[in-house]
Amino acid sequence: MLYIISSAVIEHVGNEQSQIEYVSSLLRLCPRLFITTPNRYHWLEFHTRLPLLHWLPRSWHRCVLNLIGMKFWASEKNLRLLAEDEFARIIEQAARINGLKVTLHWYKPKFLGLVSNLCVLVN
């Protein structure tokens, strides 16, 4: 059985609509997908290596990143972290665009006490 694997890419494709389009394009290629992203609600953000700041509302998070000189990561086109409910909604909307009914099977590895990554087998 063939699967497409996308590991920690979706958070780098832009806004929510771009994320939906990205997943939709993957599902067009193959309706079975294994996709992962860092968990927005892990206490450590692995791209910036800053704790807790990414828990702020997105606009505040981006403002602080700009203020401390992390302009690349402050741009939504470069980083848009996802929580589990957002990630599920994006996958389900992408499936709907392709006329697919999908089942999501979650794997949530932990690192330093909290779920670090959201891993989903879509079929």
Side-chain angles (χ1 to χ4, degrees):
M1 193 174 304
L2 181 67
Y3 280 85
I4 290 180
I5 298 172
S6 174
S7 182
V9 174
I10 192 169
E11 71 271 17
H12 300 293
V13 300
N15 64 22
E16 182 174 345
Q17 186 57 43
S18 295
Q19 291 174 326
I20 292 167
E21 290 168 8
Y22 172 71
V23 176
S24 180
S25 69
L26 296 177
L27 291 171
R28 262 193 308 279
L29 292 172
C30 180
R32 291 174 305 280
L33 172 64
F34 182 72
I35 185 167
T36 73
T37 191
N39 180 13
R40 181 170 187 219
Y41 291 110
H42 187 273
W43 63 270
L44 179 63
E45 204 289 293
F46 297 100
H47 298 89
T48 63
R49 295 183 292 281
L50 295 172
L52 305 176
L53 179 64
H54 55 289
W55 288 3
L56 293 171
R58 283 189 171 102
S59 60
W60 296 11
H61 176 222
R62 293 185 193 299
C63 182
V64 173
L65 289 177
N66 271 314
L67 287 172
I68 63 174
M70 294 187 156
K71 294 184 185 317
F72 179 83
W73 297 121
S75 172
E76 185 173 59
K77 70 179 183 175
N78 296 321
L79 183 65
R80 184 174 184 276
L81 298 169
L82 298 172
E84 183 178 344
D85 61 335
E86 296 171 308
F87 195 25
R89 187 179 63 248
I90 286 167
I91 295 167
E92 288 163 355
Q93 287 180 6
R96 204 171 310 118
I97 288 168
N98 287 289
L100 300 172
K101 176 118 172 93
V102 296
T103 304
L104 307 183
H105 304 276
W106 293 89
Y107 171 62
K108 301 174 195 172
K110 289 186 177 183
F111 178 70
L112 298 175
L114 290 176
V115 173
S116 60
N117 293 78
L118 302 170
C119 308
V120 186
L121 184 64
V122 180
N123 57 14

